[in-house]
């Protein structure tokens, strides 16, 4: 078999997955203790090396499915991280991906199996290597997208209250918004539908439940929250 590029040194390529969730009014991230050297025992994102037969997206989807058991998740590439000294073990270039999931869709047993847990983004510890930088870049990307793309609905249950939607928006952007103006803008959007159902978990009167209509959004995707 003919071989090429033998005169060049080889490097490893990995993917690291920044998985965001939303729970109890806070933006959360999924992390675990690293179970391999170097850095064993340090807090880390979940990732893996890219196989020779995989594309980058295929590798990220494989890692996400192994961790969560979920398919067809919202996933976007955040960027490549390739400082020479970023991994003390080998020369490793990592491509980071951001994924958004509903916390309630993730089986607790899988969390225990992989030794990962949800932590508040505000209380995130020091992570292995440049993983904190990856998270910061992914969070910045979310803040830029949340007002012009319907990414919020990947983090919410199928039925949600306007309070939940507002708290999510505030958690991502890191700032409070005027409740009256926020609800006015939401109610002008045809793809956010009010249902006849009521959520009474927080008050006796209850709050109306809404849902995201993907078809209505695709027909008129002029989104500005």
């Amino acid at each position: 078999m003919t071989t090429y590029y033998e005169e060049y040194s080889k490097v490893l390529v990995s993917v690291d997955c920044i998985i965001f969730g939303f729970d109890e009014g806070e933006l959360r991230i999924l992390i675990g203790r690293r179970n391999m050297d170097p850095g064993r025992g340090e807090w880390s994102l979940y990732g893996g090396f890219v196989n020779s037969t995989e594309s980058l997206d295929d590798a990220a989807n494989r890692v996400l499915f192994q961790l969560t058991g979920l398919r067809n998740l919202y996933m976007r590439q955040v960027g490549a991280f390739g400082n020479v000294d970023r991994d003390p073990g080998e020369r490793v270039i990592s491509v980071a991906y951001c994924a958004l999931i509903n916390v309630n869709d993730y089986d607790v047993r899988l969390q225990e199996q992989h030794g990962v847990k949800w932590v508040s983004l505000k209380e995130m510890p020091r992570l292995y290597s440049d993983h904190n930088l990856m998270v910061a870049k992914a969070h910045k990307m979310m803040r830029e997208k949340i007002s012009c793309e319907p990414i919020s609905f990947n983090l919410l249950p199928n039925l949600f209250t306007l309070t939940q939607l507002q708290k999510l928006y505030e958690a991502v952007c890191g700032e409070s918004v005027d409740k009256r103006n926020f609800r006015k803008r939401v109610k002008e959007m045809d793809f956010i539908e009010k249902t006849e159902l009521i959520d009474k978990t927080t008050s006796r009167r209850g709050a109306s439940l809404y849902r995201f209509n993907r078809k209505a959004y695709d027909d008129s995707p002029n989104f500005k929250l």
Side-chain angles (χ1 to χ4, degrees):
M1 182 177 70
T2 304
T3 57
Y4 301 96
Y5 312 126
E6 289 186 334
E7 67 272 29
Y8 298 103
S9 60
K10 304 299 188 291
V11 299
L12 298 171
V13 179
S14 67
V15 291
D16 283 298
C17 295
I18 306 146
I19 304 175
F20 287 110
F22 179 70
D23 191 37
E24 297 180 347
E26 290 191 319
L27 189 63
R28 299 180 183 272
I29 188 167
L30 198 64
I31 60 174
R33 294 284 188 181
R34 189 171 165 88
N35 61 6
M36 62 186 295
D37 292 321
R40 185 181 298 271
E42 294 183 30
W43 288 110
S44 173
L45 298 173
Y46 195 85
F49 289 103
V50 180
N51 295 327
S52 61
T53 58
E54 289 180 313
S55 69
L56 289 171
D57 286 359
D58 287 343
N61 276 310
R62 170 177 55 81
V63 168
L64 283 171
F65 180 71
Q66 287 174 348
L67 179 61
T68 67
L70 302 172
R71 296 192 185 276
N72 301 317
L73 294 174
Y74 175 93
M75 183 187 77
R76 296 291 185 273
Q77 190 177 119
V78 174
F81 295 78
N83 283 353
V84 174
D85 60 350
R86 64 172 303 274
D87 191 310
E90 282 286 352
R91 179 75 169 97
V92 181
I93 295 173
S94 181
V95 180
Y97 281 81
C98 172
L100 310 180
I101 70 174
N102 178 3
V103 168
N104 294 326
D105 288 341
Y106 186 22
D107 194 323
V108 174
R109 291 172 298 181
L110 278 176
Q111 294 182 47
E112 294 173 349
Q113 176 184 329
H114 292 288
V116 294
K117 70 174 185 176
W118 293 106
V119 299
S120 168
L121 192 61
K122 296 177 182 178
E123 301 172 355
M124 184 178 63
R126 178 74 180 89
L127 304 179
Y128 174 74
S129 185
D130 50 8
H131 289 189
N132 286 84
L133 180 60
M134 294 179 182
V135 174
K137 190 170 182 179
H139 187 202
K140 180 176 183 292
M141 186 176 74
M142 282 183 67
R143 290 197 302 268
E144 293 169 349
K145 288 181 177 292
I146 197 169
S147 294
C148 56
E149 293 182 23
I151 65 171
S152 303
F153 309 107
N154 296 283
L155 294 161
L156 292 170
N158 291 330
L159 296 173
F160 54 87
T161 66
L162 293 187
T163 297
Q164 286 176 305
L165 181 59
Q166 180 180 337
K167 285 184 176 180
L168 170 58
Y169 184 86
E170 291 175 336
V172 172
C173 296
E175 60 185 18
S176 299
V177 298
D178 181 78
K179 178 179 177 180
R180 185 176 178 181
N181 288 336
F182 183 85
R183 294 191 175 210
K184 181 180 178 181
R185 292 200 303 272
V186 168
K187 290 177 180 180
E188 291 172 350
M189 299 174 182
D190 295 337
F191 51 85
I192 301 180
E193 297 179 337
K194 183 178 181 179
T195 72
E196 297 179 353
L197 301 173
I198 301 293
D199 174 25
K200 293 188 176 181
T201 58
T202 57
S203 70
R204 182 177 300 179
R205 182 181 177 185
S208 296
L209 287 166
Y210 291 74
R211 65 187 167 208
F212 173 58
N213 186 323
R214 167 61 69 178
K215 185 177 185 307
Y217 172 78
D218 290 340
D219 290 341
S220 61
N222 295 317
F223 181 87
K224 186 66 177 178
L225 190 57

